[in-house]
Structure formats: structure tokens, C-alpha cells
């Protein structure tokens, strides 16, 4: 009986190894396709700009060029919840922003990050883009006052179908006020769909619907999007480009680099479960994930 059990576990181990190998190869192949498409999009966009020699590594230690990466912070709800990792307390957000202010960080707009990525416009070494996903009303009541307190820029990726739908969600009036005070409003689709699970035609419709709604409501050109649930595929990249977006963000937990692809940029998740040392490491070191997970 013992021999049979050992044989069974050996067989099971072989099966597991085969499955893992298959998944790794599949993901690697998918990654190559996405990276290849991203490269084509980046090259297409960058042809319309003249870099004037700025692609070389700078000798000015005060600035960085797009051969380097930038932390793009990803928050969600700002409020009170001890059991939800996507909720960061108001006090904690204030401490995070105070740390950035006290340590000389420059907060960016999405346009400034785009110019850095595509036009290679230099940024201060300590630069950070602050983003919020979804459509939580507490982004206005709790986060917005803190951002104004420190005179910080930020971007909110909004689910347009949730706007003006109740107390827990943002209103169009709130968006307009924040937009006038340094907060960029961009798309997070219309109903928080997992884009990678839809056909190309459906994705294009979703992407256009949210973009057009925001443009009509806010009287601005919506150029950027973050993918709900971090879900996207090659069709998503094609649809995003066809819909007229210039830059897009995933939930991949790394610093942002042009090597990610202009339509699949990384972001650094900030959780309510993280302690202060984790935040400090995440905004100062691109290798943060290997050291501070919580």
C-alpha cells in the first residue's frame, strides 16, 4: 500500500509540474505578444516627437529620464474598514501624504507622466503619481481635503456608470470641483468590467462609452484609463488604442517604466493592511515587493 501511495504522489507531482510548465509558457507567449503590440504603439506615438538628445542617461542627478522608472501609487477607498485591504484610513492617507511632502516628493499629473514616458521630458528624481480607482464618494470627502492640504496633484479613475447613483458614489458636481483643483479625472470603464473576458467589439464599446460620458460631463479630452481588476489582453490594447486613449494602467505591482508598454503600465498597490515602513519602501525603491509585502 505504501508503494502505491508513493507512486501516486510521484505521478501527481509530474502532472503538477507539466501543468505549471504549460501555464508559464502560455503566459510568457501572451506577454511577448502584448509587449510586441505595446512596442508598436509606443513607436507609432513617439515618431511624432523629437527627443533632441534627451534619450541618453542624464548626468544631472536632480532629474530622471525615461530610461528610469517612477512609482505610480494605486489607492481605492479612503475611510474606515479593518477587514478590507482596499480601504485606507483617512489618518493613514494623511501620514502617507505628509511623508511625501516632508521628503521632497513631486506629485505628477497623468499628462506629466505621459510626457515623461513618450516625449522623454525629464522629471525630478523623487516623482510620484497618485491614483485612486473606482468611484468612491470618500475620495471627495476624505482624500480630496488632504490632497489640497499638501497642494498635491492626483488622478481618479472613475466608473462612469456609478456616478450620481447614491451616497457612496461620487457626483458629477464633485468631479468638476476636484478637476478645478488639480485632480485629473480619467476612465475606469462604465461598469467596472473585466475587459480581458470580453470580445474586441464589446471592449471597444465599453471603452468608448465611459470616455464619451466623461468628456461630455467634464468638457475635457479623456486620454487615460486604468483596467478594472487589472484584466486585459491583446484585444484590450487594440481597443484602447482604437478608442483614442493614449496611456493605460494595470494593477501589476511594480514601478512604472516605458518597458511595461504605454498601454499596460504598472502601479504600486497601497493597502489598508500595509504598515508605514511598507509605504516608505514602496515609494523609494523599485524592488520593494521583495521586502515589504505588508
Amino acid at each position: 500500500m505504501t508503494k502505491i501511495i508513493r507512486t501516486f504522489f510521484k505521478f501527481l507531482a509530474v502532472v503538477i509540474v507539466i501543468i505549471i510548465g504549460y501555464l508559464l509558457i502560455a503566459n510568457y507567449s501572451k506577454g511577448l505578444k502584448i509587449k510586441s503590440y505595446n512596442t508598436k504603439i509606443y513607436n507609432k506615438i513617439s515618431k511624432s516627437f523629437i527627443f533632441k538628445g534627451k534619450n541618453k542617461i542624464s548626468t544631472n542627478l536632480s532629474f530622471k529620464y525615461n530610461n528610469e522608472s517612477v512609482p505610480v501609487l494605486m489607492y481605492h477607498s479612503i475611510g474606515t474598514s479593518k477587514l478590507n485591504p482596499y480601504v485606507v484610513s483617512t489618518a493613514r492617507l494623511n501620514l502617507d501624504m505628509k511623508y511625501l511632502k516632508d521628503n521632497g516628493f513631486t506629485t505628477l499629473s497623468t499628462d506629466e507622466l505621459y510626457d515623461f514616458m513618450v516625449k522623454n521630458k525629464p522629471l525630478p528624481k523623487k516623482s510620484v503619481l497618485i491614483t485612486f480607482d473606482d468611484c468612491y464618494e470618500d475620495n471627495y470627502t476624505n482624500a480630496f481635503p488632504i490632497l489640497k492640504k499638501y497642494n498635491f496633484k492626483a488622478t481618479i479613475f472613475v466608473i462612469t456608470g456609478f456616478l450620481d447613483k447614491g451616497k457612496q458614489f461620487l457626483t458629477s458636481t464633485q468631479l468638476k470641483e476636484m478637476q478645478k483643483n488639480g485632480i485629473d479625472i480619467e476612465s475606469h470603464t462604465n461598469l467596472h468590467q473585466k475587459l480581458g473576458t470580453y470580445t474586441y467589439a464589446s471592449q471597444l464599446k465599453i471603452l468608448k462609452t465611459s470616455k464619451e460620458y466623461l468628456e461630455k460631463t467634464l468638457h475635457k479630452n479623456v486620454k487615460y484609463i486604468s483596467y478594472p481588476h487589472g484584466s486585459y489582453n491583446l484585444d484590450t490594447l487594440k481597443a484602447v488604442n482604437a478608442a483614442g486613449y493614449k496611456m493605460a494602467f494595470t494593477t501589476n505591482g511594480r514601478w512604472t517604466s516605458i518597458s511595461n508598454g504605454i498601454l499596460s503600465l504598472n502601479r504600486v498597490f497601497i493597502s489598508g493592511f500595509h504598515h508605514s515602513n511598507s509605504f516608505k519602501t514602496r515609494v523609494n525603491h523599485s524592488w520593494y515587493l521583495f521586502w515589504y509585502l505588508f
Side-chain angles (χ1 to χ4, degrees), residues 177-192:
E177 181 184 346
M178 289 191 288
Q179 182 174 259
K180 291 179 181 178
N181 288 274
I183 309 301
D184 190 17
I185 310 299
E186 300 293 338
S187 174
H188 197 46
T189 72
N190 61 327
L191 292 173
H192 207 245

Side-chain angles (χ1 to χ4, degrees), residues 133-262:
D133 274 8
D134 302 330
C135 194
Y136 297 110
E137 200 250 358
D138 57 44
N139 286 181
Y140 174 81
T141 57
N142 298 336
F144 183 42
I146 294 173
L147 294 168
K148 285 199 297 183
K149 173 183 175 181
Y150 294 105
N151 195 29
F152 277 176
K153 300 173 186 176
T155 298
I156 300 178
F157 293 105
V158 175
I159 305 167
T160 55
F162 293 178
L163 280 173
D164 302 310
K165 299 299 182 181
K167 291 184 177 180
Q168 70 184 102
F169 300 117
L170 289 164
T171 68
S172 301
T173 301
Q174 290 169 339
L175 291 187
K176 291 174 183 177
E177 181 184 346
M178 289 191 288
Q179 182 174 259
K180 291 179 181 178
N181 288 274
I183 309 301
D184 190 17
I185 310 299
E186 300 293 338
S187 174
H188 197 46
T189 72
N190 61 327
L191 292 173
H192 207 245
Q193 298 97 326
K194 291 184 177 180
L195 291 169
T197 65
Y198 288 77
T199 64
Y200 170 80
S202 295
Q203 291 189 56
L204 184 58
K205 183 178 180 180
I206 290 168
L207 293 164
K208 284 184 175 181
T209 298
S210 60
K211 187 177 190 294
E212 290 168 0
Y213 184 93
L214 283 177
E215 290 181 339
K216 182 179 179 181
T217 302
L218 300 176
H219 307 291
K220 60 166 285 185
N221 183 16
V222 173
K223 298 176 286 186
Y224 313 117
I225 187 169
S226 69
Y227 302 133
H229 312 282
S231 176
Y232 70 102
N233 55 24
L234 189 58
D235 277 344
T236 311
L237 304 187
K238 293 177 181 178
V240 165
N241 185 51
Y245 293 94
K246 301 300 183 183
M247 187 165 67
F249 297 85
T250 70
T251 58
N252 297 335
R254 291 287 194 279
W255 279 27
T256 299
S257 167
I258 191 59
S259 64
N260 304 153
I262 198 66

Side-chain angles (χ1 to χ4, degrees), residues 33-190:
K33 290 179 181 178
I34 288 175
K35 186 172 183 179
S36 175
Y37 185 79
N38 265 301
T39 300
K40 290 178 182 178
I41 293 297
Y42 173 70
N43 289 339
K44 180 180 178 181
I45 294 172
S46 63
K47 282 180 181 178
S48 58
F49 301 107
I50 300 175
F51 291 99
K52 297 180 181 179
K54 289 182 179 178
N55 275 332
K56 63 184 180 181
I57 297 176
S58 173
T59 55
N60 188 337
L61 298 180
S62 299
F63 293 92
K64 64 169 64 176
Y65 291 86
N66 68 3
N67 58 291
E68 299 181 73
S69 55
V70 176
V72 176
L73 308 184
M74 177 179 61
Y75 290 91
H76 291 79
S77 177
I78 306 300
T80 304
S81 176
K82 295 182 179 180
L83 300 177
N84 188 342
Y86 292 94
V87 179
V88 172
S89 72
T90 306
R92 164 65 193 284
L93 178 68
N94 183 68
L95 288 175
D96 290 352
M97 298 303 102
K98 185 178 187 301
Y99 176 82
L100 295 178
K101 189 71 172 183
D102 291 346
N103 289 273
F105 280 83
T106 297
T107 56
L108 307 173
S109 67
T110 28
D111 281 339
E112 288 171 329
L113 183 69
Y114 179 82
D115 287 346
F116 169 75
M117 290 290 175
V118 175
K119 302 179 185 179
N120 205 18
K121 186 175 180 179
L123 293 176
K125 279 288 185 180
K126 286 187 173 183
S127 292
V128 60
L129 174 62
I130 302 168
T131 70
F132 297 83
D133 274 8
D134 302 330
C135 194
Y136 297 110
E137 200 250 358
D138 57 44
N139 286 181
Y140 174 81
T141 57
N142 298 336
F144 183 42
I146 294 173
L147 294 168
K148 285 199 297 183
K149 173 183 175 181
Y150 294 105
N151 195 29
F152 277 176
K153 300 173 186 176
T155 298
I156 300 178
F157 293 105
V158 175
I159 305 167
T160 55
F162 293 178
L163 280 173
D164 302 310
K165 299 299 182 181
K167 291 184 177 180
Q168 70 184 102
F169 300 117
L170 289 164
T171 68
S172 301
T173 301
Q174 290 169 339
L175 291 187
K176 291 174 183 177
E177 181 184 346
M178 289 191 288
Q179 182 174 259
K180 291 179 181 178
N181 288 274
I183 309 301
D184 190 17
I185 310 299
E186 300 293 338
S187 174
H188 197 46
T189 72
N190 61 327

Side-chain angles (χ1 to χ4, degrees), residues 23-34:
L23 291 175
L24 288 174
I25 292 172
N27 285 332
Y28 179 71
S29 298
K30 177 185 175 183
L32 287 178
K33 290 179 181 178
I34 288 175

